[in-house]
Amino acid sequence: MTPTASVAETPALAASRHQLGALGRRYALRRAAALLLPALAGALLLAGLARHWPGATWPLAGLAIIILGFAAWHLAPLGPLPAAAVARRLDRCYPALEDSTGLLLLPTET
């Protein structure tokens, strides 16, 4: 008989939990980039327009500040997703997993 390793001793479980956390952080970074890139592009466009139309510098600068403030306001609550939310999302997107990612989050038996 070969001795079986308990669930608490396997490094694969710790690595899988780490990967779930990394996926949550990656999702938050992608969401931040998806929000910031258009806001920065709009602000740069307004800066270019302000340079070519000197009479409209202050209104365009105010509009650019409003756009960047709006983006910052939407970024404030954004943080990495908890591992449970990532597990639910993976189970929903990939039916072949059949709730196996949720099993990673169960407390280990020591």
Side-chain angles (χ1 to χ4, degrees):
M1 290 220 137
T2 60
T4 59
S6 74
V7 176
E9 295 174 3
T10 59
L13 180 63
S16 298
R17 287 180 178 172
H18 178 70
Q19 285 179 342
L20 283 177
L23 281 173
R25 287 186 297 274
R26 187 178 310 150
Y27 176 77
L29 287 175
R30 281 186 171 183
R31 178 77 175 114
L35 186 63
L36 278 179
L37 286 176
L40 289 174
L44 286 174
L45 176 68
L46 290 173
L49 288 174
R51 184 171 181 214
H52 289 295
W53 289 332
T57 300
W58 290 110
L60 291 176
L63 188 59
I65 289 173
I66 289 172
I67 289 173
L68 291 176
F70 184 72
W73 179 59
H74 277 303
L75 282 177
L78 188 62
L81 288 177
V86 174
R88 283 191 308 269
R89 183 179 173 100
L90 287 174
D91 287 337
R92 193 173 53 244
C93 291
Y94 301 103
L97 292 176
E98 296 178 354
D99 296 329
S100 62
T101 53
L103 295 175
L104 293 172
L105 302 175
L106 293 177
T108 59
E109 299 171 1
T110 56

